[in-house]
Amino acid sequence: MKITSISVYQVELPLEHPYRLSGGRLLFERLDSTFVRIDTDAGITGWGEGCPWGSTYLPAFPGGIRAAIGNELAPAVLGQDPRRLDVLNAAMDTALPGHGYAKSAIDVACWDILGKSTGLPVCELLGGDTGENVTVQSSIGTGTPEAMVADILRHHEMGYRVHSPKIGSDVGEDAARIRAIAAGLPEGDSVTFDANRAMLPDQAIRLMAQTADVDAYFEQPCETYEECLQVRRATTQPIILDESIVDFADLVRAHSDQACEAIGLKIGRVGGLTKARRMRDFCVQTGIRMNIEATGGTVLADTVAVHLAQATPTRFRRATWLCHEMLTDDPCDGGARNLSGFTKAPDLPGFGVEPKREALGDPVAVYS
């Protein structure tokens, strides 16, 4: 089997509500997503999606995906067998070192082809369906303590039991948010306070010291790995590293330094499902828990993450965020949907989700 063509689509994804993170300093109202269709000489088609959550969240931007595919990656993978995932990723890494977010959609589309060619859901190819549903976590934007508690309670009524409120604006304000959320959190629910890199080490240390009696995770308090490590060594609460984990070497370093108790394993950020699977296996072997998620995008991107989570032993999973629930439009059929706070990978060949062609429009580029 050989790749014969790569079609690239640009899709605008408006959010239902303006969304603030990183202490409110980053505001998002819509996303720019790139869909990739890969066709083969066997008549099997695979779909992938790349959506780096705008241009201000990470060292990545939507136009970079499309430019990288056209200028560097498409020539490297055309004619390759899409089922030989390690060989294909090596070819992309040779053609363009780094830029994992630009390679992810191609890698994911090839996994879709592999699943369809074998007649198996992708989770079966990633170690096997555990049979356990995947926990979905809510994402609570930065706001007043009262508004954030109300949002958590609203999500609890929808079935969510794990919540991720955004903090990082001011130590005093964040302490008030944490206290209010801890007091109002329904019994049995769990919470992660996510700063998305907004704090300086002294701020994070002070905040965590003031709220040391609250049972919670704290996620990516500071911009750099070194700053987060400084916080880890001065505090006691479990820490999740998210934006600092970009590749396998970052994960090995974090384990060696005992820098965290869990990671955010974002499929797009680490370069696709092939590389995310390797990192998942390392976490399972070394006792690191994971939030396995998409960076952003539609139910297609979310479903890819759910397949990997579905094939991961339950005790190593924390929760999975479904970005597509924040969108006004749904340009795909099928996929992993929210089932009252849980989700499950579709029991269909490949990922079990197909974009609606009328929603995508015409491709912005085709390479063959």
Side-chain angles (χ1 to χ4, degrees), residues 12-23:
E12 186 176 88
L13 305 173
L15 301 178
E16 269 192 339
H17 307 288
Y19 186 77
R20 290 188 179 274
L21 55 77
S22 196

Side-chain angles (χ1 to χ4, degrees), residues 3-327:
I3 295 174
T4 56
S5 69
I6 301 173
S7 302
V8 179
Y9 301 80
Q10 181 179 1
V11 181
E12 186 176 88
L13 305 173
L15 301 178
E16 269 192 339
H17 307 288
Y19 186 77
R20 290 188 179 274
L21 55 77
S22 196
R25 67 190 174 109
L26 301 180
L27 172 65
F28 302 91
E29 296 181 311
R30 62 191 65 247
L31 302 176
D32 179 348
S33 188
T34 300
F35 282 73
V36 171
R37 169 180 166 145
I38 292 182
D39 290 295
T40 67
D41 59 2
I44 300 175
T45 294
W47 288 94
E49 181 182 8
C51 188
W53 200 259
S55 301
T56 57
Y57 171 57
L58 293 172
F61 71 104
I65 295 177
R66 296 184 284 271
I69 291 173
N71 296 334
E72 313 295 342
L73 299 177
V77 301
L78 283 168
Q80 295 266 10
D81 188 333
R83 300 167 298 181
R84 300 175 69 197
L85 276 306
D86 287 339
V87 172
L88 184 133
N89 272 270
M92 289 198 290
D93 287 342
T94 298
L96 183 65
H99 297 275
Y101 72 96
K103 302 169 184 173
S104 178
I106 291 177
D107 173 77
V108 164
C110 290
W111 275 98
D112 196 27
I113 291 169
L114 177 61
K116 291 173 178 175
S117 70
T118 59
L120 292 171
V122 170
C123 63
E124 297 291 2
L125 304 173
L126 293 169
D129 185 346
T130 62
E132 299 287 339
N133 287 341
V134 176
T135 300
V136 177
Q137 70 174 339
S138 70
S139 185
I140 310 298
T142 303
T144 66
E146 297 77 13
M148 295 176 76
V149 170
D151 206 6
I152 287 174
L153 294 177
R154 181 174 63 85
H155 280 87
H156 178 84
E157 291 300 315
M158 296 164 60
Y160 291 86
R161 296 297 180 263
V162 180
H163 311 279
S164 178
K166 303 298 182 178
I167 60 171
S169 61
D170 172 85
V171 172
E173 293 174 359
D174 284 333
R177 292 184 177 105
I178 291 170
R179 290 290 179 196
I181 289 170
L185 192 68
E187 184 176 356
D189 284 18
S190 178
V191 65
T192 297
F193 294 106
D194 187 1
N196 291 113
R197 318 187 316 275
M199 294 179 170
L200 295 174
D202 70 305
Q203 295 172 313
I205 292 168
R206 288 167 53 213
L207 177 63
M208 292 173 70
Q210 291 178 30
T211 58
D213 60 323
V214 174
D215 182 12
Y217 286 76
F218 284 78
E219 184 167 346
Q220 193 70 35
C222 304
E223 181 73 38
T224 68
Y225 172 85
E226 290 76 14
E227 290 170 334
C228 289
L229 181 59
Q230 179 181 348
V231 175
R232 164 68 295 150
R233 289 173 173 169
T235 57
T236 58
Q237 297 98 315
I239 284 181
I240 301 173
L241 288 181
D242 185 19
E243 292 91 348
S244 290
I245 304 299
V246 178
D247 57 30
F248 197 96
D250 294 328
L251 179 57
V252 173
R253 182 186 182 193
H255 172 63
S256 177
D257 290 339
Q258 297 181 338
C260 64
E261 287 65 51
I263 67 164
L265 182 53
K266 298 289 202 300
I267 308 298
R269 186 180 63 227
V270 304
L273 197 51
T274 300
K275 293 174 180 176
R277 175 195 57 181
R278 298 170 189 164
M279 297 171 75
R280 184 276 311 265
D281 292 344
F282 182 87
C283 288
V284 168
Q285 289 299 311
T286 56
I288 299 173
R289 297 189 77 187
M290 293 164 277
N291 291 328
I292 301 174
E293 301 170 324
T295 306
T298 69
V299 69
L300 174 57
D302 287 337
T303 300
V304 174
V306 171
H307 272 275
L308 182 58
Q310 192 80 56
T312 300
T314 307
R315 66 189 297 233
F316 295 99
R317 300 192 234 128
R318 178 152 169 75
T320 295
W321 171 55
L322 298 180
C323 174
H324 76 268
E325 294 189 307
M326 302 174 67
L327 306 177

